[in-house]
Amino acid sequence: MGILQKVLRNCLWQLLSFLPKDQKKAVCQSYYGRGYSDSPRAIAEELRKRGWKVYWIVNGPEAACTLPEGVIPLKIDSPKAIYHQCTAGVWVDNARKWAYTQKRGRTCYIQTWHGFPLKRIEGDVEDALPTDYMQAAKKDSAMADLFLSDSRFLSDIYRRAFWYSGEILECGFPRNDILFGEHPEIKEKARRALDIPPEKKLMLYAPTFRKDKGLEVYDVDYARCVEALKKRFGGEWLILAKLHPNIADKAGELGLDPRYVRNASDYPDIQELYLLCDAMLTDYSSVMFDYMNTGRPCFAYVNDLAAYKDDRNFYFDIDKLPFSRSETNDELVSNILVFDEETQQAKMQQFRREFGMVENAGNAAGTTIDYLEQRRNFS
């Protein structure tokens, strides 16, 4: 974006923010315009059921194609997008808004955030983050009217490290509502989209990214994993690899052997893959805490523990994770072969108790909109 475009954008925000608000209009966004996904999607669905007009910020035509009929796309930073944001009664987002954003008048901003953290974030690692991001984060927290939390632990982080003193609703993440039902139609849609044979059992490999965005750490021996899964759980297995959005465009460089693993990095909604898959493999990603709601087997593969810990360090001892941890492929295969369901279930219950984790039995989105309509008189 050129200098003149930035000046125009900033002027529009300043001027249009004084316009009256439509109290039944919501503008939602997920990960800076990446498409219809995550907790904003779940909230948008609930808003639509209740008769709201829902607009969605997108970063291009590809993201716009993910929207269902009735959800109106708005190109990020366009005059039309700024107008609708400035006149909306509600904003919903799962990432920080940039510092040029202006919120005035009776707009309620719901910040859903995007995960239960293992590594330190926001104000707890202020020196490690870019200055412009920190400025935006502090303004974002000042604008927010409600943060959503899945635990006492995360709520404490909001208070301490997010510069936030407003209201917090501990109801779980709306994106996980889907995990409390069977949804066979969603599973079938995902299988068709990824061309997965119906007889295949699936493990989702969903690691996070490294600060250098390198691929060296993604050295899982997929063939051995598939064989171990077959021996321990029975059936024919396939691994779906979904890299973090920050490096998803590099997935083709991994040379994935289709006999054992398929690239699912472009699949738009990871929650649908949680539903589809029978097990998960990850590293330090918060996806493990979402997947925990399924009760299915989960394994952590961390072959660069010391280096990753030196980056931002962790909020708690990684040994507290309720899943087996492997640092080599040999250990990973062994941990798959000796997996014990009762042991994992007991560890998950202990983890939930210690960190005060909550889920609303599949109704976090409904609880959020009930709050909006009842507590803030948006109805």
Side-chain angles (χ1 to χ4, degrees):
M1 181 179 285
I3 294 176
L4 289 178
Q5 288 176 303
K6 289 181 180 179
V7 170
L8 174 61
R9 176 198 66 193
N10 296 350
C11 287
L12 284 174
W13 272 109
Q14 292 289 340
L15 293 171
L16 299 182
S17 63
F18 289 100
L19 291 174
K21 315 306 176 189
D22 181 343
Q23 298 304 318
K24 294 289 282 187
K25 177 168 75 174
V27 177
C28 305
Q29 185 172 202
S30 178
Y31 297 118
Y32 305 101
R34 282 180 180 154
Y36 201 55
S37 62
D38 208 75
S39 289
R41 171 182 175 169
I43 290 176
E45 290 297 301
E46 184 66 25
L47 288 168
R48 293 174 67 207
K49 289 177 186 175
R50 303 192 191 196
W52 287 60
K53 291 172 286 187
V54 177
Y55 293 77
W56 195 277
I57 304 293
V58 297
N59 58 17
E62 203 170 307
C65 286
T66 68
L67 305 183
E69 185 177 353
V71 176
I72 303 167
L74 300 169
K75 180 68 168 67
I76 192 168
D77 285 337
S78 67
K80 186 176 180 180
I82 295 170
Y83 168 79
H84 282 292
Q85 287 174 95
C86 286
T87 57
V90 172
W91 293 349
V92 184
D93 208 332
N94 63 359
R96 297 300 198 176
K97 293 188 180 297
W98 291 111
Y100 55 78
T101 306
Q102 296 294 326
K103 183 173 83 76
R104 290 190 176 95
R106 197 161 170 253
T107 297
C108 179
Y109 175 22
I110 301 172
Q111 172 56 259
T112 72
W113 200 238
H114 49 263
F116 179 99
L118 172 57
K119 70 178 180 182
R120 295 179 183 273
I121 56 175
E122 301 292 287
D124 286 336
V125 285
E126 189 163 356
D127 293 341
L129 296 172
T131 301
D132 61 342
Y133 177 83
M134 297 309 300
Q135 291 173 343
K138 290 175 181 179
K139 182 175 180 182
D140 184 80
S141 284
M143 290 193 300
D145 298 289
L146 178 68
F147 265 78
L148 303 188
S149 172
D150 72 337
S151 61
R152 180 187 65 249
F153 173 76
L154 181 56
S155 297
D156 290 344
I157 291 175
Y158 289 158
R159 296 294 187 211
R160 183 188 68 252
F162 279 54
W163 314 276
Y164 182 68
S165 58
E167 295 188 64
I168 297 172
L169 189 60
E170 285 186 11
C171 62
F173 293 128
R175 66 186 182 191
N176 290 332
D177 288 350
I178 193 175
L179 303 180
F180 292 86
E182 290 299 321
H183 305 288
E185 72 289 352
I186 293 176
K187 295 179 184 179
E188 180 58 29
K189 180 190 76 170
R191 278 192 182 269
R192 286 199 307 270
L194 295 166
D195 193 24
I196 305 297
E199 71 276 7
K200 289 287 188 181
K201 293 185 176 181
L202 300 169
M203 170 182 268
L204 178 63
Y205 176 44
T208 190
F209 71 102
R210 306 309 191 265
K211 62 180 179 180
D212 65 358
K213 297 186 179 179
L215 301 180
E216 295 80 8
V217 295
Y218 310 119
D219 65 351
V220 172
D221 190 328
Y222 300 107
R224 292 181 66 197
C225 273
V226 164
E227 186 61 26
L229 290 163
K230 180 179 178 179
K231 286 182 180 178
R232 171 59 185 85
F233 299 103
E236 296 297 322
W237 284 76
L238 188 66
I239 295 173
L240 299 182
K242 184 170 176 60
L243 298 190
H244 190 280
N246 286 353
I247 55 169
D249 59 346
K250 295 184 176 183
E253 300 174 28
L254 291 178
L256 303 176
D257 188 331
R259 293 176 298 172
Y260 310 111
V261 59
R262 300 278 181 86
N263 178 22
S265 298
D266 292 334
Y267 197 84
D269 194 334
I270 196 171
Q271 262 67 28
E272 294 185 357
L273 297 184
Y274 297 158
L275 270 181
L276 180 63
C277 291
D278 306 281
M280 171 179 277
L281 175 63
T282 185
D283 48 16
Y284 315 100
S285 175
S286 64
V287 298
M288 71 179 88
F289 305 115
D290 291 340
Y291 195 75
M292 192 161 64
N293 290 293
T294 70
R296 298 169 192 160
C298 186
F299 305 90
Y301 176 61
V302 291
N303 58 353
D304 61 341
L305 182 56
Y308 196 87
K309 189 175 181 181
D310 284 344
D311 179 17
R312 294 194 195 176
N313 209 340
F314 301 124
Y315 274 118
F316 52 86
D317 188 338
I318 198 170
D319 287 334
K320 289 188 177 183
L321 291 177
F323 315 113
S324 67
R325 190 178 82 239
S326 310
E327 297 186 30
T328 67
N329 275 290
D330 286 343
E331 289 181 355
L332 177 57
V333 167
S334 176
N335 282 326
I336 291 173
L337 291 173
V338 301
F339 174 80
D340 182 76
E341 182 177 1
E342 289 186 5
T343 299
Q344 180 177 282
Q345 291 294 332
K347 287 182 177 180
M348 289 193 301
Q349 289 303 320
Q350 172 59 30
F351 188 87
R352 289 187 179 102
R353 286 193 297 269
E354 181 170 351
F355 290 90
M357 297 188 79
V358 296
E359 287 293 349
N360 201 17
N363 194 37
T367 299
T368 301
I369 306 309
D370 286 345
Y371 165 91
L372 180 69
E373 293 185 337
Q374 296 169 14
R375 295 283 299 279
R376 299 187 66 86
N377 298 316
F378 280 71
S379 58

